[in-house]
Amino acid sequence: MGWPNMLVLVRHAESEGNLRSADERAQFEMATYAYALTPRGRRQAEKTKEYLQLYFGGNNKYDLSLFFDVRYASYYERSRETLQIILPSAKFYEPPRLYEDPRLAEAQRGIYHTMTNDQIEERFPGELARKAREGLYHYRPLGGENWPDVELRIHSFLGTLSRDCDGKNVIMVVHGHWLILFQRLIHHFSIAEVMAKYKAGVFENASITIYKNKPVEGCHPHLELVEENIVPWKGLI
């Protein structure tokens, strides 16, 4: 067991949810996992694909399916759609396979998916005060997950990554908050460090973060950060 030779993490491109505030999303008659990419988001994903084609293939016609042995997305539509734009020759249900994994999903926000802050205050008095008292890291919304819950999913996925993807080139389309917590586990960030990273801003839409396997003599190899939050579409779209 080890680590992928190369691990590329892409945050999904701009979706319908990114254009709305939290209260607007709560009133939007669509499940959060069903948000599709916007036209701008699809253009962002195309620019990300072109960057990866040049980075790994040397030209913008390179088929990235030839480089990536394993391809993962969460089951969220915006994640799946981004991956299919980056790897148009690959499919979710036939070779060369794209795999969806529920452990890559964004944190479930429970009542915040369907209620505005005013509605929560009216129906669940004291809930907003409980959130403020417990803090973002520990607070678990009714029907949802807190940050340690998401970390447990990531812990489980890291076991799969180590077992099934040893020495392979892997691409994953994930979510911004998920990626911050992934880095907390990989880099052993403290809670204070990960909170500061979160408050500084999540990874941008269609951004690229790259890790490589770094062998260490006499020790278990580890993932080394090569590039972080590269945004190929910046200034172009």
Side-chain angles (χ1 to χ4, degrees):
M1 295 176 64
W3 291 112
N5 174 59
M6 189 73 70
L7 177 62
V8 176
L9 300 113
V10 177
R11 186 191 174 197
H12 65 80
E14 181 185 85
S15 75
E16 296 167 310
N18 294 128
L19 301 181
R20 294 171 167 83
S21 68
D23 275 1
E24 288 170 339
R25 290 194 296 271
Q27 296 173 307
F28 188 38
E29 292 299 320
M30 180 180 287
T32 182
Y33 63 79
Y35 294 160
L37 297 185
T38 64
R40 182 171 184 260
R42 289 191 287 273
R43 294 195 298 272
Q44 290 174 347
E46 286 287 349
K47 291 298 180 185
T48 295
K49 178 183 73 172
E50 291 170 8
Y51 181 93
L52 292 173
Q53 286 172 323
L54 290 171
Y55 192 99
F56 293 112
N59 67 77
N60 59 11
K61 300 296 183 181
Y62 180 69
D63 184 353
L64 289 166
S65 291
L66 300 175
F67 180 79
F68 290 111
D69 307 299
V70 185
R71 313 98 174 174
Y72 283 107
S74 79
Y75 65 89
Y76 282 41
E77 180 60 27
R78 54 192 181 271
S79 177
R80 288 168 50 95
E81 192 176 352
T82 300
L83 185 56
Q84 288 187 297
I85 290 172
I86 294 172
L87 297 172
S89 66
K91 309 295 180 186
F92 275 96
Y93 303 109
E94 58 188 70
R97 283 289 302 272
L98 306 176
Y99 294 97
E100 72 175 37
D101 195 304
R103 294 172 294 179
L104 306 186
E106 189 60 288
Q108 292 296 317
R109 299 185 68 249
I111 55 175
Y112 288 86
H113 282 317
T114 56
M115 295 183 191
T116 65
N117 278 354
D118 287 344
Q119 290 170 331
I120 292 170
E121 191 63 60
E122 178 184 352
R123 300 181 196 183
F124 300 100
E127 189 63 18
L128 297 182
R130 183 173 75 88
K131 178 181 179 181
R133 183 176 67 247
E134 294 187 2
L136 282 175
Y137 184 81
H138 294 97
Y139 172 73
R140 181 185 291 112
L142 300 177
E145 297 175 298
N146 65 7
W147 291 23
D149 292 331
V150 179
E151 288 177 1
L152 286 174
R153 291 201 266 110
I154 299 172
H155 266 299
S156 172
F157 185 79
L158 287 175
T160 299
L161 200 64
S162 176
R163 183 188 67 242
D164 296 348
C165 302
D166 184 9
K168 297 181 179 179
N169 296 323
V170 180
I171 186 169
M172 297 166 50
V173 178
V174 296
H175 302 264
H177 182 200
W178 190 98
L179 184 47
I180 288 175
L181 294 181
F182 171 89
Q183 288 197 320
R184 165 167 154 75
L185 300 181
I186 292 294
H187 299 291
H188 307 290
F189 291 150
S190 67
I191 292 175
E193 287 172 323
V194 80
M195 289 299 304
K197 193 172 181 70
Y198 178 79
K199 290 178 179 179
V202 298
F203 291 82
E204 294 208 48
N205 291 121
S207 64
I208 300 166
T209 297
I210 300 174
Y211 287 86
K212 68 177 181 180
N213 188 331
K214 183 178 181 179
V216 179
E217 187 175 352
C219 301
H220 191 71
H222 67 269
L223 290 174
E224 180 180 56
L225 182 63
V226 179
E227 305 276 3
E228 183 178 42
N229 202 25
I230 303 165
V231 189
W233 56 268
K234 205 75 167 180
L236 300 175
I237 296 175

